[in-house]
Amino acid sequence: MATDYDAPRKTDSDELGADSLEALKARRAEGTTGEVDEDETATAESYELPGADLSGEELSVSVVPIQNNEFTCSSCFLVHHRSRLARMDGDLPVCQDCA
């Protein structure tokens, strides 16, 4: 079937204009209920806010020292494997991302 792209398009707002005021009021009344679907406080407790006070929290992270096959980039200060070494600026290593 061919489509005429130059013809004006019919939108939902055009259909709403043809409805009577009583029909629109009845449609709005059907969609509303007096009940709340979910508890807002329970939903809000699941969000973690930036800058929240975490002083009471205890972290359990094991820190592994730098290995023999790793280096710290002198530009981004990240620890990379030796295979990521791009060049040496004097005695300072630079990774491939910063090179």
Side-chain angles (χ1 to χ4, degrees):
M1 177 177 172
T3 303
D4 183 13
Y5 291 105
D6 294 327
R9 296 181 184 167
K10 187 174 183 180
T11 62
D12 292 335
S13 62
D14 295 338
E15 293 174 4
L16 290 178
D19 290 341
S20 67
L21 182 59
E22 290 79 22
L24 292 174
K25 286 181 182 178
R27 189 181 310 157
R28 186 182 344 157
E30 290 173 2
T32 60
T33 62
E35 298 177 18
V36 176
D37 292 337
E38 62 180 62
D39 187 16
E40 291 179 7
T41 56
T43 305
E45 289 175 359
S46 65
Y47 295 124
E48 186 169 329
L49 301 175
D53 183 23
L54 300 176
S55 60
E57 298 293 323
E58 184 175 329
L59 301 176
S60 58
V61 177
S62 60
V63 179
V64 179
I66 193 167
Q67 304 296 309
N68 291 336
N69 61 350
E70 296 175 332
F71 70 96
T72 303
C73 177
S74 60
S75 181
C76 65
F77 303 105
L78 294 175
V79 177
H80 296 279
H81 188 265
R82 281 280 172 206
S83 64
R84 302 282 303 148
L85 180 64
R87 67 173 189 266
M88 296 289 288
D89 285 340
D91 60 341
L92 301 174
V94 178
C95 69
Q96 292 176 356
D97 296 331
C98 295

